[in-house]
Amino acid sequence: MYKLLALDLDGTVLDSKHTISQALIDTIQSIAVNTHVVIVTGRHHVAAKPYYDQLGLSTPIICCNGTYIFDYQNDVVIQENAIDKDKADQFITLSQAHDLKMVMYVRDAMLYSRARPINYMEALLTWSQTFPENCRPNIQKVDDFQLEAQRSEYVWKFVVEGEVDRFAALPFIKNHFNGERSWIDRVDFAATGNSKGNALRQYVQPLNIALEECVAVGDNHNDISMLKAVGMGIAMQNADDTVKSTADLITKKTNDDKQGLAQLLGQLFLNTH
């Protein structure tokens, strides 16, 4: 019997409208009664929190593709491999020299440029404002990334948009950052060594759970390390062929099917048919 379920959010638990079906909420909550359920996401913890609350979880969350593990219950960072402040400063300087748009994830906020906003961040800011102020994801426009990086306790990752390939090939970037493409012209950069698979490997150790006893579900390239690390790696039907080729199982339905993932997880963990 599997002892842990690791779930990606976007493209997996979330449908294309960024909502979770009631069937999947009910199934995950039922599984969580006897099984450790952990969210493993590329998101910042402030942008994952509304979905975490919907699912009724109390476990820590793995964020920013394995950069850190966060405990919502106590508002503490359990484990991290954040970007060194000096390297963050150099990264910002180089990205500006290459005329790239940028987002910076710091301890408790997602920051983007007031002068050069990115469309998806504008959409995310609009989304965040649909929540009450006391639980609203912290998304802000800023004027000076370097000042904000020095002010914050941690810099988790950068997202850059534009002509990224030449920038990613710079020796400084290649030596100190792990880049993962998240859109056609957008790349996420975190500290070297961060991945969902590595973070999950460290996460399960104190729980006395073997990776072979874990199930992971994902849909994107940043999920591959996690799918390969566990006993049962499940790729979503909406994943591309590269991701599917690394999985043990592929869902019959996409993330937009209201029952698909819920039914599969029910069969695996709840013996439903």
Side-chain angles (χ1 to χ4, degrees), residues 202-243:
Q202 294 169 341
Y203 182 91
V204 300
Q205 286 177 349
L207 301 175
N208 202 27
I209 295 174
L211 284 168
E212 291 74 26
E213 298 173 304
C214 300
V215 174
V217 193
D219 75 303
N220 215 328
H221 287 232
N222 60 350
D223 297 309
I224 289 173
S225 62
M226 174 171 75
L227 300 183
K228 291 169 74 171
V230 298
M232 173 66 75
I234 302 172
M236 298 297 294
Q237 185 62 49
N238 43 279
D240 70 23
D241 289 342
T242 302
V243 178

Side-chain angles (χ1 to χ4, degrees), residues 65-99:
N65 298 329
T67 294
Y68 66 107
I69 302 172
F70 189 78
D71 177 5
Y72 287 118
Q73 313 307 312
N74 299 296
D75 190 33
V76 296
V77 176
I78 295 175
Q79 187 174 300
E80 50 82 15
N81 182 28
I83 298 167
D84 175 82
K85 293 290 183 70
D86 290 338
K87 291 184 176 66
D89 191 75
Q90 287 180 257
F91 185 99
I92 294 164
T93 300
L94 284 169
S95 71
Q96 290 170 341
H98 281 74
D99 197 33

Side-chain angles (χ1 to χ4, degrees), residues 176-194:
H176 300 294
F177 292 88
N178 176 43
E180 293 188 298
R181 193 170 293 277
S182 54
W183 197 247
I184 190 165
D185 63 346
R186 191 186 305 148
V187 177
D188 296 13
F189 288 96
T192 299
N194 290 337

Side-chain angles (χ1 to χ4, degrees), residues 91-92 95 100-103 111-113 118 145 158-160:
F91 185 99
I92 294 164
S95 71
L100 298 172
K101 292 184 177 182
M102 190 170 66
V103 183
L111 310 177
Y112 68 109
S113 170
I118 292 181
F145 283 111
F158 293 100
V159 183
V160 296

Side-chain angles (χ1 to χ4, degrees), residues 43-48 50 103-106 108-114 118-131 133 135-142:
R43 287 184 177 236
H44 193 295
H45 69 269
V46 299
V103 183
M104 183 170 70
Y105 289 36
V106 295
D108 287 314
M110 300 167 66
L111 310 177
Y112 68 109
S113 170
R114 192 185 315 278
I118 292 181
N119 288 340
Y120 90 93
M121 288 300 297
E122 297 278 74
L124 210 57
L125 180 63
T126 301
W127 165 80
S128 72
Q129 290 168 344
T130 64
F131 295 95
E133 200 169 338
C135 61
R136 184 174 298 163
N138 189 3
I139 299 169
Q140 299 178 27
K141 295 181 184 182
V142 298

